[in-house]
């Protein structure tokens, strides 16, 4: 179980740079350090340790962005549900670790036809109540984009905030993107000018 996200394969990352802070990694080989960070597309900024032997994602951090399910009797794998309907299957390997093979992607595709009623059934009454509070709070603070709203909540930028980033994630899963925010951010673009066509009379001899 890891509390950090750290990759050893730089080909999976973008915009790798040297950070001002340093990460100390405690492993079987002792303590190793890195100050490199990179952007994992579709996920966010993570640590990069090129001398490592694996790409590691923290379950605790993954569930802050995506819905994660597990059923030991059905597939025995962690399923990460992406917003586009794709499901990434992390299957069990040796030493009781779960992994996702990026070379031979073990994924599923789902058709996004779930209704709000169907989505509500996947959560407890307590989680639904917290998700409702997160949904209302997003409207109250001006309908920010999901990524920005999570940053506000996660960085304690909202005084006496009654919800967590997980509640925000659940709300987005249940009701989808905040429609009012999408409408307010849609800009009408100036249409291209239509060129006026000059009418030319056809000579009589052509008729």
């Amino acid at each position: 179980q890891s509390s950090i996200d750290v990759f050893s394969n730089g080909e999976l990352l973008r915009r790798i740079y040297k950070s001002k802070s340093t990460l100390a990694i405690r492993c079987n080989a002792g303590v190793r350090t890195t100050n490199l960070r990179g952007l994992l597309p579709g996920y966010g900024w993570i640590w990069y340790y090129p001398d490592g032997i694996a790409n590691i994602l923290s379950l605790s951090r993954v569930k802050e962005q995506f819905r994660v399910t597990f059923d030991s009797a059905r597939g025995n794998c962690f399923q990460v549900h992406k917003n586009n309907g794709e499901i990434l299957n992390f299957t069990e390997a040796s030493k009781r670790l779960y992994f996702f093979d990026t070379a031979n992607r073990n994924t599923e595709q789902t058709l996004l036809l779930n209704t709000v009623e169907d989505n509500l059934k996947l959560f407890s009454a307590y989680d639904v109540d917290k998700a409702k509070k997160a949904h209302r709070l997003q409207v109250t603070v001006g309908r920010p984009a999901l990524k920005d709203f999570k940053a506000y909540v996660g960085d304690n930028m909202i005084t006496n905030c009654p919800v967590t980033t997980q509640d925000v994630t659940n709300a987005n899963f249940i009701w989808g993107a905040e429609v009012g925010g999408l409408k307010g951010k849609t800009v009408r673009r100036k249409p291209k000018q239509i060129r006026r066509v000059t009418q030319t009379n056809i000579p009589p001899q052509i008729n």
Side-chain angles (χ1 to χ4, degrees), residues 1 11 14 16 20 22 30 41 44 57 60 74 94 97 99 116 146 151 156-157 165-166 178:
Q1 181 75 0
E11 294 182 359
R14 304 288 183 271
I16 296 174
K20 294 181 180 179
T22 300
L57 289 176
S60 177
R74 297 181 60 183
S94 59
L97 296 175
F99 77 103
V116 171
L146 178 62
N156 296 319
M157 299 172 65
T165 54
Q166 184 60 50
E178 214 293 306

Side-chain angles (χ1 to χ4, degrees), residues 135 138 144-146 171-183:
H135 189 65
Q138 186 176 10
L146 178 62
N172 185 70
F173 177 82
I174 295 172
W175 293 286
E178 214 293 306
V179 178
L182 294 176
K183 289 181 178 179

Side-chain angles (χ1 to χ4, degrees), residues 140-153:
T140 301
V141 297
R143 297 185 168 96
L146 178 62
K147 182 179 180 180
D148 294 334
F149 186 43
K150 281 186 174 182
Y152 299 160
V153 174

Side-chain angles (χ1 to χ4, degrees), residues 66-199:
F66 305 103
R67 176 171 167 254
V68 180
T69 58
F70 176 79
D71 189 337
S72 59
R74 297 181 60 183
N76 185 32
C77 65
F78 284 93
Q79 294 189 313
V80 178
H81 302 253
K82 297 178 65 177
N83 296 330
N84 63 359
E86 185 180 29
I87 301 175
L88 308 183
N89 294 321
F90 286 73
T91 55
E92 186 176 12
S94 59
K95 298 182 180 179
R96 301 184 182 275
L97 296 175
Y98 288 80
F99 77 103
F100 177 77
D101 189 349
T102 56
N104 183 22
R105 294 172 62 86
N106 183 4
T107 65
E108 300 177 15
Q109 292 290 338
T110 57
L111 193 59
L112 297 179
L113 294 177
N114 287 10
T115 64
V116 171
E117 183 178 358
D118 293 331
N119 293 339
L120 288 171
K121 294 177 181 178
L122 300 174
F123 297 88
S124 67
Y126 174 80
D127 288 335
V128 170
D129 181 64
K130 296 282 285 184
K132 287 180 179 179
K133 290 180 180 179
H135 189 65
R136 289 195 296 266
L137 182 60
Q138 186 176 10
V139 174
T140 301
V141 297
R143 297 185 168 96
L146 178 62
K147 182 179 180 180
D148 294 334
F149 186 43
K150 281 186 174 182
Y152 299 160
V153 174
D155 295 339
N156 296 319
M157 299 172 65
I158 301 176
T159 305
N160 298 324
C161 182
V163 299
T164 65
T165 54
Q166 184 60 50
D167 299 326
V168 176
T169 299
N170 292 345
N172 185 70
F173 177 82
I174 295 172
W175 293 286
E178 214 293 306
V179 178
L182 294 176
K183 289 181 178 179
K185 295 179 178 64
T186 302
V187 180
R188 180 181 181 274
R189 299 182 181 277
K190 184 178 180 180
K192 293 183 179 180
Q193 185 177 6
I194 300 176
R195 188 176 61 182
R196 184 176 180 180
V197 179
T198 304
Q199 182 176 354

Side-chain angles (χ1 to χ4, degrees), residues 29-56:
V31 179
R32 299 292 183 268
T33 61
T34 180
N35 63 349
L36 300 176
R37 289 178 65 82
L39 180 65
L40 179 61
Y43 183 76
W45 291 98
I46 65 174
W47 291 99
Y48 172 47
Y49 180 56
D51 295 328
I53 60 174
N55 305 308
I56 301 172

